[in-house]
Amino acid sequence: MTEIPPIVLYHPGKQEAQWAQELAQHTQCEVITWQPGVAGVVDAEVLVAWAPPQALIDAMPRLRLVFHLGAGVDALWQTALPAEAVVVRLEDAGMAEQMADYALYAVTRHTRGMAQYERDWRAGAWSPQPVKPAADWTIGVLGYGALGAWVAEVLSERGYNVHAWSRTAKTSAGIVHHSGDDGLKVMLKRCHVLVLMLPLTPETQHVLNAETLALLPHGSYVINLARGGLIDTDALIAALESGHLAGAALDVFEQEPLPAEHRLRGMPQVMGTPHIAAQTWVEEACRSIASNLQAWRDNNPLSGVVDRHRAY
Ligand code: OXD
C-alpha cells in the first residue's frame, strides 16, 4: 500500500488548531502545521495556507496543489510558486451569505438614512424624512463572481434596481448586466450606490480612482467589501470631502489595520469595519478542500481553480 503524503497547513493565529483538526478529519491525512524550523514537509505535495511565506514554498520542492484559504488570492502575488502548481481558492465557505447580509445592511442603512437618524438620536432631534421605494434606487455591483452574484441577487430580491458589471458579458434574470470598459462607464453613471465585489488583480487595482469616481452621480454612496486596493484612497477622501460622494461603508482598506489616526476614521459619513464582512467557516472550507483533494487524486476537474495568469 502506498503511503499518502502529509498535507501542510500554514494559518498562524487563533484558529490554527481548529483548521488542523478539521482538515485531518475531512481529508483523513496527516496534517503538518508549518512554522520556521518544522521538519517533514519536503515530500508533501499539498499546501493549505493563507499568504504562505516564501521559505515554506521553498521547503516544499514537490508542491503541486495549493489551497488558498481566502476567496481572493492577491496575498499570493508576491509568492514564487512552482510553475506546475495548481492554485485553488475558497469559493464560498459561508462567505456569500455573510457578504450579502453586510451589503443589504449597508445599502439599507444608506437608503433609509439611518446614519443621520443615529446622529439625530444622540443630538436629541426628531426629524422624520420621506422614504423612496427600493426600486427607485439603482445599485451597481462591481464584480459578478460567486460572491458578487449572490450579493446582486439578494439586493434584487429585496426590490432594488440592480446593475452588475463583469469583465466578460453575463446574463441573469432581473439584473441589468454590463461588461468591458464602456460598460463600466455606463453603469457608474447610473449608480446611486456602488458595491465593490471584484478580486484585486493588477488590472483592477484602483479601478475606482478620481476619474471613475467622477462618473458616479453626485450624492452617490460607495460600499467596499472586497479589497482596499480597488479604491485609490486619496481620490475617495477627496470625493467625500467635496460632497460628490454622500458617504461610504468600508470593510477593507489599502492599509490594514487602518491606523487609529487615519483621515477616514474622522469622517462622519464613513462607516468602517475591520475586514469582517465575510469570515470563513472552517468546517465548510475543509469539507470543500477534502472533496477537491479527492478530485485531484482521481484526476477529475477541481472547483475554484485560479487562473494564475489573470490572478483570480
Ligand atoms: C478572503 C478574505 O479573501 O477573507 O477570503 O478577504
Side-chain angles (χ1 to χ4, degrees):
M1 206 173 96
T2 47
E3 207 178 305
I4 300 177
I7 292 177
V8 179
L9 168 70
Y10 178 75
H11 195 290
K14 286 191 214 128
Q15 286 182 302
E16 186 181 69
Q18 190 191 355
W19 277 106
Q21 192 231 311
E22 297 275 359
L23 258 186
Q25 182 185 326
H26 289 279
T27 62
Q28 302 286 300
C29 290
E30 181 199 348
V31 175
I32 298 178
T33 302
W34 187 83
Q35 47 183 288
V38 161
V41 301
V42 75
D43 286 331
E45 297 179 314
V46 180
L47 172 64
V48 177
W50 170 268
Q54 191 63 46
L56 169 54
I57 304 299
D58 295 345
M60 295 181 67
R62 295 166 54 101
L63 180 61
R64 294 295 172 270
L65 182 58
V66 179
F67 289 102
H68 192 252
L69 294 178
V73 289
D74 45 295
L76 287 179
W77 278 5
Q78 307 302 329
T79 316
L81 295 172
E84 62 278 35
V86 174
V87 178
V88 177
R89 63 186 186 83
L90 290 179
E91 289 183 288
D92 187 332
M95 286 186 277
E97 230 175 69
Q98 297 171 65
M99 282 287 184
D101 279 352
Y102 193 121
L104 189 56
Y105 165 73
V107 168
T108 311
R109 186 171 180 270
H110 175 61
T111 59
R112 297 297 308 273
M114 293 300 176
Q116 187 56 47
Y117 289 127
E118 281 161 25
R119 288 194 286 272
D120 286 355
W121 177 257
R122 313 239 169 270
W126 185 271
S127 178
Q129 300 297 321
V131 183
K132 278 200 297 180
D136 287 3
W137 291 92
T138 297
I139 316 289
V141 178
L142 201 46
Y144 200 76
L147 301 181
W150 192 287
V151 164
E153 297 298 332
V154 167
L155 291 169
S156 169
E157 270 168 31
R158 171 59 196 88
Y160 288 104
N161 175 30
V162 177
H163 289 231
W165 182 89
S166 44
R167 199 178 53 82
T168 53
K170 301 213 165 129
T171 53
S172 63
I175 291 172
V176 184
H177 284 270
H178 306 266
S179 58
D181 290 349
D182 289 343
L184 178 62
K185 289 184 192 148
V186 170
M187 186 177 92
L188 290 179
K189 285 181 188 166
R190 292 173 160 195
C191 296
H192 301 117
V193 179
L194 180 69
V195 186
L196 282 97
M197 294 297 302
L198 282 170
L200 182 64
T201 71
E203 266 179 45
T204 62
Q205 184 144 28
H206 286 187
V207 63
L208 217 52
N209 50 43
E211 207 181 308
T212 45
L213 279 165
L215 294 173
L216 289 167
H218 185 82
S220 52
Y221 193 85
V222 168
I223 300 172
N224 191 2
L225 306 185
R227 284 292 183 266
L230 296 172
I231 305 183
D232 175 343
T233 307
D234 290 339
L236 176 72
I237 290 174
L240 288 162
E241 280 178 346
S242 72
H244 177 65
L245 286 185
L250 307 171
D251 182 55
V252 286
F253 303 87
E254 288 200 88
Q255 186 185 2
E256 292 182 8
L258 190 72
E261 67 287 354
H262 197 280
R263 268 161 79 198
L264 284 170
R265 294 213 191 234
M267 302 183 116
Q269 68 276 51
V270 175
M271 182 197 114
T273 45
H275 200 142
I276 48 76
Q279 297 175 49
T280 311
W281 289 342
V282 179
E283 191 188 340
E284 197 165 324
C286 290
R287 229 184 279 125
S288 94
I289 289 170
S291 93
N292 258 332
L293 185 60
Q294 191 57 51
W296 182 68
R297 292 207 176 110
D298 296 344
N299 277 325
N300 284 332
L302 274 61
S303 170
V305 173
V306 171
D307 179 336
R308 287 181 57 188
H309 179 64
R310 281 203 201 128
Y312 72 94

